[in-house]
Amino acid sequence: MNAKWERHNNSAFQIIDVLARGSPGVADCGGIFSNHFANFLGNFSQNLRINNSFIAELWGVILVIEIAHKKSWLNLWLECNSSLVVQSSKNPNLV
């Protein structure tokens, strides 16, 4: 998993990288949480038992939002490698 950190501004954004691997093969997803000072806040990984990297990245985004909601992290910066996942967040009819 490759992760990069970039300071976006002085607000309390959570920087999150969501990556998936698989397809063909069983797909996994994972993410890294840090604040705008690059302090590590947590991470997650999940074996999804599916073989589609698009669905794995989509589930990764869903898991990130669920985790952030539980921790009351309201300002999110989400990075995702899949342009289709990004487009589906703008147009739910794609999913």
Side-chain angles (χ1 to χ4, degrees):
M1 177 182 291
N2 295 325
K4 69 175 185 171
W5 181 86
E6 182 178 328
R7 187 172 182 159
H8 295 279
N9 61 32
N10 289 331
S11 33
F13 282 110
Q14 309 305 318
I15 313 301
I16 302 161
D17 289 318
V18 176
L19 302 169
R21 66 181 184 97
S23 190
V26 178
D28 307 308
C29 68
I32 300 169
F33 297 88
S34 61
N35 64 15
H36 64 288
F37 293 113
N39 296 325
F40 176 78
L41 300 176
N43 62 358
F44 76 95
S45 63
Q46 183 73 40
N47 182 331
L48 299 171
R49 300 180 190 265
I50 57 176
N51 62 355
N52 183 307
S53 59
F54 165 70
I55 299 297
E57 290 219 25
L58 192 59
W59 268 110
V61 169
I62 291 168
L63 290 170
V64 161
I65 292 169
E66 287 179 350
I67 292 167
H69 178 72
K70 287 178 185 175
K71 295 186 174 284
S72 297
W73 294 338
L74 303 178
N75 296 319
L76 297 176
W77 183 275
L78 176 60
E79 295 181 11
C80 179
N81 294 338
S82 171
S83 61
L84 189 54
V85 170
V86 173
Q87 290 173 9
S88 68
S89 70
K90 296 175 184 178
N91 182 359
N93 294 325
L94 293 175
V95 180

